[in-house]
Amino acid sequence: MRMNILVTLNSHYIKPLTVMLKSLFINNPGESFHIYLMHSSMTEEELAGIRSYVEREGHALSVITVSDDMFKDAPVIKHYSKEMYYRILAYQFLPEALDTILYLDPDLIVINEIRSLYSTDISHALFAAAYHDRLSVKEINRLRLRPYDIEAYYNSGVLLMNLARQRERIDEHEVFAFVEENKLRLILPDQDIINALYAKDIVKVDEVRFNYDPRYYFYYKLASNGKVDMDYVVKHSSIIHFCGKKKPWNKNYSGNFHSLYKHYEKIALMPQPV
Amino acid sequence: MRMNILVTLNSHYIKPLTVMLKSLFINNPGESFHIYLMHSSMTEEELAGIRSYVEREGHALSVITVSDDMFKDAPVIKHYSKEMYYRILAYQFLPEALDTILYLDPDLIVINEIRSLYSTDISHALFAAAYHDRLSVKEINRLRLRPYDIEAYYNSGVLLMNLARQRERIDEHEVFAFVEENKLRLILPDQDIINALYAKDIVKVDEVRFNYDPRYYFYYKLASNGKVDMDYVVKHSSIIHFCGKKKPWNKNYSGNFHSLYKHYEKIALMPQPV
């Protein structure tokens, strides 16, 4: 059964998105993907490039162009664009027939199968996500988002969505009201919205398997008494998510998964045989 | 045209050898390899396993079993086995028809094409090799191997061989005599022999491309004014050679190419579809 993948994109992220998709395709052989790409500013030429890439790999692409007036009631915050609403309101733009979709950030690579993530039972939830289970992060974010009674602070870079339920339960006016009220303290707006409003409606998935953050390599290893080492991660983690400001495609990045990222970048951007 | 590859092996190195071969095959698509495996102690079962692996990948394997009495005149040094002679005297065991072969250590991975290394002109030399071009290493080794007038200290882990010329020029008695005389100061016996006796007859190849040592990641980067960074290495280096005592398949290894090594290990040791 085909898996639906949601990505959002602007021109700065074409290269990382290509790498992410290549890693997804190559490490899920025998699977068929339908990529839904939401954007507001890509050129026809850029979109054609992505389309031919996805189709050459044997998968399907649908482009959803969001014009700014579609969120005409939405409040904006300082340097954030209205793209911050794409993830949470995607259900409004996706085909009615779609019940499930997996949102993936472009700053990650998929190094093992994701069928088991896609099959997570979210029939009674809005989302499935991992939270980055380090006390300090959780505490800071709970504090920051008080008085919202959040259970945990989920990372929204990998987000399995129950679209059918979202259509019933997510109200854009509630979302816009929340943003309006909390303008000044939102740091990662889309992630903050999802956590503040819907944390109780999120199924937790394993962070090491589905949202491994390489900045915490030594933390994971220590916390697991050495079990979650490089060998374990390469064999068992499906998603390596390069969170934070430093990105592995930039000069002077350094980190334990740099060489692996560069490997996928190389094969993704390799000239194709004609 | 088929490339001939020489490897030497004992039971401890089956897994790394498999990883090395997998990386060689996968990154040289369209090439055909004939692997010559020299050993003295592998079991029939182990050899059958390697044979079926190589043949399943579409390449050929020849096994050369060296019995100890074949080097009956050879001196031995403390804890080294007679395997130390395999590389330098391989020409005696390989088919007469073979003119060229590339020796590869099992503690390396091939991440790009090696056709250009294989095609190096060695018509007037015995070997092609890289030397690890750091002053300290060279100086120490020159000193250690005095009074042999060596030009440089080559690393013998990647060694292109002109077998035709070796048959004429390499004399096992000279080799044995050298070892006998220098027993006490040989540290890496086979490498020391090759450098002391034949350094002038070695064509130098680029270390960064064909014998990149990940321990010196920052050295290469600095020495090249930033050019030889991770991006460069992943795109342009063909051979990453995990020199030294710490090996990337062991627990608690750490290094810039650890995740990439583990990636190749995973795909090399993946269960095969039946």
Side-chain angles (χ1 to χ4, degrees):
Chain A
M1 203 194 63
R2 191 143 76 168
M3 286 190 258
N4 303 308
I5 303 292
L6 174 65
V7 296
T8 65
L9 185 61
N10 60 50
S11 306
H12 302 302
Y13 273 79
I14 296 177
K15 202 170 117 177
L17 181 81
T18 310
V19 177
M20 186 276 273
L21 291 176
K22 181 70 181 190
S23 69
L24 172 69
F25 299 154
I26 210 169
N27 290 311
N28 287 268
E31 297 282 9
S32 164
F33 294 101
H34 192 136
I35 311 295
Y36 292 85
L37 186 156
M38 278 179 83
H39 80 104
S40 65
S41 60
M42 307 282 293
T43 67
E44 284 302 319
E45 205 182 339
E46 289 165 338
L47 292 169
I50 294 169
R51 176 177 303 282
S52 77
Y53 185 81
V54 169
E55 292 177 352
R56 199 167 49 221
E57 298 272 334
H59 304 282
L61 181 80
S62 291
V63 171
I64 298 165
T65 304
V66 182
S67 62
D68 249 20
D69 61 350
M70 282 177 173
F71 293 122
K72 58 183 184 306
D73 299 335
V76 285
I77 333 179
K78 14 178 195 167
H79 56 286
Y80 291 100
S81 75
K82 289 190 175 177
E83 288 172 27
M84 60 179 264
Y85 294 108
Y86 286 9
R87 223 171 300 187
I88 192 144
L89 299 177
Y91 71 89
Q92 300 182 354
F93 300 90
L94 292 164
E96 274 288 325
L98 240 54
D99 283 340
T100 306
I101 199 164
L102 174 62
Y103 169 82
L104 293 175
D105 263 354
D107 59 350
L108 59 81
I109 49 177
V110 178
I111 65 169
N112 283 297
E113 62 82 27
I114 58 156
R115 171 60 71 184
S116 50
L117 171 60
Y118 199 84
S119 311
T120 305
D121 180 9
I122 50 169
S123 52
H124 300 290
L126 291 172
F127 301 100
Y131 60 87
H132 285 173
D133 191 9
R134 278 159 299 283
L135 203 66
S136 55
V137 176
K138 274 200 301 193
E139 292 305 316
I140 289 165
N141 284 305
R142 273 191 197 162
L143 214 63
R144 186 158 61 82
L145 294 177
R146 251 181 342 169
Y148 298 89
D149 178 27
I150 62 169
E151 299 280 308
Y153 190 75
Y154 290 95
N155 179 284
S156 64
V158 176
L159 208 54
L160 184 65
M161 301 182 172
N162 179 344
L163 296 170
R165 192 174 169 96
Q166 288 182 11
R167 288 183 196 103
E168 293 167 12
R169 303 286 176 94
I170 293 180
D171 174 359
E172 63 170 35
H173 300 293
E174 187 186 15
V175 171
F176 297 158
F178 171 81
V179 173
E180 195 62 57
E181 273 164 43
N182 294 278
K183 266 186 176 180
L184 297 177
R185 53 182 181 158
L186 297 183
I187 294 173
L188 302 163
D190 37 11
Q191 188 160 296
D192 286 352
I193 298 167
I194 290 169
N195 277 282
L197 297 179
Y198 308 111
K200 287 181 175 165
D201 234 343
I202 302 179
V203 170
K204 184 190 164 192
V205 298
D206 182 9
E207 164 186 11
V208 166
R209 282 185 72 194
F210 299 122
N211 204 333
Y212 180 95
D213 181 342
R215 293 175 301 175
Y216 298 106
Y217 178 75
F218 290 104
Y219 169 87
Y220 294 123
K221 202 171 158 183
L222 265 171
S224 65
N225 284 318
K227 182 183 152 205
V228 180
D229 61 3
M230 183 61 79
D231 184 67
Y232 185 93
V233 174
V234 169
K235 282 190 193 133
H236 299 99
S237 294
S238 293
I239 296 177
I240 309 292
H241 185 189
F242 295 89
C243 302
K245 287 224 167 103
K246 292 182 179 169
K247 299 299 187 193
W249 55 83
N250 288 334
K251 272 270 176 207
N252 295 320
Y253 176 85
S254 73
N256 286 298
F257 289 82
H258 195 192
S259 58
L260 188 60
Y261 186 86
K262 282 290 169 185
H263 165 78
Y264 282 108
E265 187 181 274
K266 180 178 73 176
I267 59 177
L269 306 178
M270 225 174 237
Q272 300 293 321
V274 187
Chain B
M1 204 196 60
R2 191 143 76 168
M3 286 190 258
N4 303 308
I5 304 291
L6 174 65
V7 296
T8 65
L9 185 60
N10 60 50
S11 306
H12 303 302
Y13 273 79
I14 295 177
K15 202 169 118 177
L17 180 82
T18 310
V19 177
M20 186 276 272
L21 290 176
K22 181 70 178 192
S23 69
L24 172 69
F25 298 154
I26 210 170
N27 290 312
N28 286 270
E31 297 283 8
S32 164
F33 293 100
H34 192 135
I35 311 295
Y36 292 84
L37 186 156
M38 277 179 85
H39 81 104
S40 65
S41 59
M42 307 282 294
T43 67
E44 283 302 318
E45 205 182 339
E46 288 166 340
L47 291 170
I50 293 169
R51 176 178 303 282
S52 77
Y53 185 82
V54 169
E55 291 176 354
R56 200 167 49 221
E57 298 272 335
H59 304 283
L61 181 80
S62 292
V63 172
I64 297 165
T65 304
V66 181
S67 62
D68 250 20
D69 60 350
M70 281 177 174
F71 294 122
K72 58 182 184 308
D73 299 335
V76 285
I77 334 179
K78 14 176 197 174
H79 56 285
Y80 291 102
S81 74
K82 289 190 177 178
E83 289 172 26
M84 61 179 262
Y85 294 108
Y86 286 9
R87 222 170 299 187
I88 193 144
L89 300 177
Y91 71 91
Q92 300 181 354
F93 299 91
L94 292 164
E96 275 286 325
L98 240 55
D99 282 341
T100 306
I101 200 164
L102 175 62
Y103 169 82
L104 294 175
D105 262 353
D107 59 349
L108 58 81
I109 50 177
V110 179
I111 66 169
N112 283 299
E113 62 82 28
I114 57 155
R115 172 60 72 184
S116 51
L117 170 60
Y118 199 85
S119 312
T120 305
D121 180 7
I122 50 167
S123 52
H124 299 291
L126 291 172
F127 302 101
Y131 61 87
H132 285 172
D133 192 7
R134 280 161 297 283
L135 202 64
S136 56
V137 176
K138 274 198 298 189
E139 291 306 316
I140 289 165
N141 284 305
R142 273 190 197 163
L143 214 62
R144 186 157 61 84
L145 294 177
R146 252 183 337 168
Y148 298 89
D149 179 25
I150 62 170
E151 299 280 308
Y153 190 75
Y154 291 96
N155 179 284
S156 64
V158 176
L159 207 55
L160 184 65
M161 300 182 173
N162 179 344
L163 296 170
R165 191 174 169 96
Q166 288 182 10
R167 288 182 196 104
E168 292 167 12
R169 302 286 176 95
I170 293 182
D171 174 358
E172 63 171 31
H173 300 293
E174 187 186 13
V175 171
F176 298 158
F178 171 80
V179 173
E180 194 62 58
E181 272 164 43
N182 294 278
K183 267 185 174 178
L184 297 176
R185 53 180 182 162
L186 296 183
I187 293 174
L188 302 163
D190 37 12
Q191 189 160 296
D192 287 352
I193 298 166
I194 289 169
N195 277 282
L197 297 180
Y198 309 111
K200 286 179 175 167
D201 233 343
I202 302 179
V203 170
K204 184 190 163 192
V205 299
D206 181 10
E207 164 185 10
V208 166
R209 282 186 72 195
F210 299 122
N211 204 332
Y212 180 94
D213 182 342
R215 293 174 301 175
Y216 298 107
Y217 178 75
F218 291 104
Y219 169 87
Y220 294 123
K221 201 170 159 183
L222 266 171
S224 64
N225 284 318
K227 180 183 154 206
V228 180
D229 61 3
M230 184 60 81
D231 184 66
Y232 185 93
V233 174
V234 169
K235 282 190 193 133
H236 298 99
S237 293
S238 293
I239 296 178
I240 310 292
H241 185 190
F242 295 89
C243 302
K245 286 224 167 105
K246 293 183 178 167
K247 299 300 187 191
W249 54 84
N250 289 333
K251 272 270 175 208
N252 295 319
Y253 176 85
S254 73
N256 286 299
F257 289 82
H258 195 192
S259 57
L260 188 60
Y261 186 86
K262 282 290 170 186
H263 166 77
Y264 282 109
E265 188 181 274
K266 180 178 74 176
I267 58 177
L269 306 177
M270 226 174 234
Q272 299 292 321
V274 187

